Amino acid sequence: MKRSRSVGASSPLNGIGKQDGDSRRKRKVAEISQALNVTPVDVAALRRMAISEGGLLTDEIRCKVWPRLLNVPTDTLPEKPEEIERENNKDYNQVLLDVQRSLKRFPPGMPDKQREGLQEELIDIILRVLGRNTQLHYYQGYHDIVVTFLLVLDERLATALVEKLSTHHLRDFMDPTMDNTKHILNYLMPIIERINPEVHDFMQQAEVGTIFALSWLITWFGHVLSDFRHVVRLYDFFLACHPLMPIYFAAVIVLYREDEVLDCECDMASVHHLLSQIPQDLPYETLISRAGDLFVQFPPSELAREAAQQYSQQTAASTFKDFDLVSEQQRPDSVLRRRLREKQALEGAAAGAMVVMAQPTVARRFVRLAVMGLTVALGAAALTLVNTALEWVPKLDLHLFP
């Protein structure tokens, strides 16, 4: 029997009554089950479910869906992970120190013996993945991502998913230097500038840079959020999306705090202190929807020149291509264009309905659909990357990352 690892790690459906919420929850569970049980598995539908409001709802569902989102076949995994030689491992001492400092990542009230056992498994998973992939380099913060998978999955499955994630989404963070990580951070300011030039200019004048968002990015916010439910909700979103989605989410957090930023003293120390202290009561579903919309409006290719990035065969962007599990008509460019047209149609219908005061319920429904449209649509679109990303980029010798 699977041990209870993450207490209360279910994602709520916000802003609706309990009865309606229970009904929508049951309907979503049924839709996820249907997508898992068809042959072949409907990965596009699973991505939409992971992105839409509430995400994958429970850890039990995540155990089934996360491997599908990462294209990890669970039926061929070894029954027992191989033993790890720790003492002569070059990363062991640093990994041990980081894991020993990770107490806050485990659920409060977890028995010490159980937590200590999980910490031992955490060390083994990290060393196992690094041992199998010698091109990868450990970084501080990596353990924050690995522990999230361990708390949701068992050691065997967590090892497989972390290995796939490390060679794809996290690949750029695991280079010998932080050059690619810094380049990814360079996408943050162009996104902010597109939406709120005043905030962008204020941050530029304060010379705050982007280092405040480093821990957000390299831990997928696992290090800075105290509520595990919020962490796994974001992991649902990020696993279903483009590897650069965490930087879009970082941007929407800054934009959400616009008033606080502009009220702050315009100097590096003050702005950095403000932004590095991430609020714990963020409206996560709203921000997830907003990040999805920004990705559609300003895809990485549009920001690449401003971020001065060059495309490389070693980046997460280039290695993401084997996640392209859907048909040609579900490719990101065609899906996003179609969904944009649908959203515009819905917005037009919503505006018309709002004029007719006798039909307020219909109007609210259309508005809600219009707001959620792109985020839900992003599920099929987001299993992207290189085939279509290269179609978005001008046919120059322009690369995303050096």
Side-chain angles (χ1 to χ4, degrees):
M1 180 179 295
K2 186 177 183 293
R3 290 168 292 171
S4 175
R5 296 165 177 256
S6 52
V7 178
S10 62
S11 303
L13 293 171
N14 297 326
I16 53 180
K18 185 179 186 302
Q19 185 174 359
D20 189 26
D22 289 344
S23 175
R24 289 176 58 179
R25 188 183 185 89
K26 290 178 181 178
R27 185 163 62 249
K28 188 170 192 180
V29 169
E31 291 171 353
I32 293 172
S33 178
Q34 181 180 7
L36 285 168
N37 291 327
V38 297
T39 304
V41 170
D42 191 348
V43 179
L46 294 178
R47 292 184 184 278
R48 288 195 296 272
M49 296 297 102
I51 290 171
S52 63
E53 185 178 1
L56 296 175
L57 301 176
T58 70
D59 284 352
E60 182 180 1
I61 294 175
R62 291 182 178 101
C63 288
K64 299 175 182 177
V65 176
W66 280 7
R68 296 294 183 176
L69 297 181
L70 286 175
N71 192 23
V72 172
T74 58
D75 53 349
T76 59
L77 297 179
E79 291 187 9
K80 186 178 180 181
E82 70 271 23
E83 295 295 324
I84 295 299
E85 175 60 43
R86 292 184 174 188
E87 302 306 325
N88 297 321
N89 190 295
K90 64 182 179 63
D91 296 304
Y92 173 66
N93 289 333
Q94 185 61 59
V95 172
L96 177 62
L97 288 173
D98 289 344
V99 169
Q100 288 175 338
R101 291 193 291 253
S102 67
L103 296 182
K104 72 171 188 174
R105 291 303 318 278
F106 293 89
M110 174 178 281
D112 289 345
K113 186 175 181 180
Q114 182 181 2
R115 174 185 51 76
E116 291 167 1
L118 288 172
Q119 287 180 303
E120 292 299 310
E121 292 181 10
L122 177 57
I123 293 171
D124 284 345
I125 292 173
I126 293 172
L127 296 181
R128 190 175 294 122
V129 170
L130 295 174
R132 292 176 184 172
N133 302 272
T134 56
Q135 78 279 15
L136 302 179
H137 297 262
Y138 179 76
Y139 65 88
Q140 288 182 277
Y142 181 66
H143 69 290
D144 281 299
I145 288 184
V146 180
V147 73
T148 302
F149 283 87
L150 181 59
L151 289 172
V152 173
L153 314 168
D154 59 28
E155 181 183 2
R156 170 175 165 268
L157 194 52
T159 298
L161 268 63
V162 166
E163 182 169 12
K164 191 62 171 285
L165 195 74
S166 300
T167 55
H168 292 79
H169 295 66
L170 306 180
R171 178 64 184 85
D172 300 313
F173 309 147
M174 306 190 75
D175 278 347
T177 71
M178 290 186 63
D179 289 347
N180 278 343
T181 302
K182 294 175 183 176
H183 292 327
I184 295 173
L185 283 169
N186 285 342
Y187 278 78
L188 181 64
M189 296 306 292
I191 299 171
I192 293 172
E193 184 178 23
R194 291 292 201 284
I195 303 302
N196 194 322
E198 184 180 6
V199 170
H200 171 272
D201 293 347
F202 183 89
M203 293 174 65
Q204 291 288 81
Q205 185 178 348
E207 299 182 340
V208 68
T210 57
I211 198 68
F212 66 85
L214 177 62
S215 64
W216 305 357
L217 180 67
I218 65 175
T219 70
W220 277 12
F221 297 84
H223 183 71
V224 294
L225 298 181
S226 59
D227 192 327
F228 192 72
R229 295 175 303 167
H230 298 152
V231 175
V232 292
R233 174 65 188 100
L234 288 180
Y235 276 48
D236 293 342
F237 180 48
F238 296 151
L239 287 172
C241 290
H242 190 295
L244 291 180
M245 188 57 78
I247 204 68
Y248 284 81
F249 192 79
V252 299
I253 290 178
V254 175
L255 292 166
Y256 174 76
R257 304 183 69 190
E258 168 191 0
D259 292 341
E260 294 177 80
V261 172
L262 297 178
D263 287 343
C264 187
E265 292 292 329
C266 189
D267 60 75
M268 188 273 288
S270 299
V271 179
H272 176 84
H273 177 74
L274 171 70
L275 291 175
S276 61
Q277 305 298 313
I278 189 169
Q280 297 299 308
D281 59 347
L282 294 169
Y284 292 94
E285 294 300 335
T286 300
L287 297 182
I288 285 171
S289 180
R290 183 61 171 148
D293 288 348
L294 291 184
F295 182 89
V296 173
Q297 295 170 36
F298 311 112
S301 57
E302 182 177 321
L303 306 173
R305 191 179 300 277
E306 291 176 56
Q309 305 310 307
Q310 293 186 337
Y311 181 81
S312 167
Q313 293 300 318
Q314 302 304 316
T315 62
S318 65
T319 57
F320 200 56
K321 57 190 174 185
D322 65 349
F323 289 108
D324 191 6
L325 304 177
V326 293
S327 60
E328 286 294 309
Q329 61 267 28
Q330 292 174 322
R331 290 159 67 100
D333 48 0
S334 59
V335 169
L336 295 180
R337 292 190 190 104
R338 183 176 70 249
R339 296 297 185 172
L340 278 169
R341 290 195 297 269
E342 291 175 358
K343 182 183 181 184
Q344 291 166 355
L346 286 170
E347 287 175 336
M354 291 174 70
V355 173
V356 183
M357 299 305 293
Q359 301 181 11
T361 302
V362 175
R364 285 195 298 272
R365 180 167 58 86
F366 274 125
V367 170
R368 185 165 62 249
L369 287 171
V371 171
M372 293 183 61
L374 285 179
T375 300
V376 175
L378 197 56
L383 53 127
T384 140
L385 193 53
V386 163
N387 319 16
T388 48
L390 289 180
E391 293 172 6
W392 291 340
V393 178
K395 298 300 182 180
L396 305 172
D397 189 21
L398 177 65
H399 305 308
L400 285 178
F401 311 119

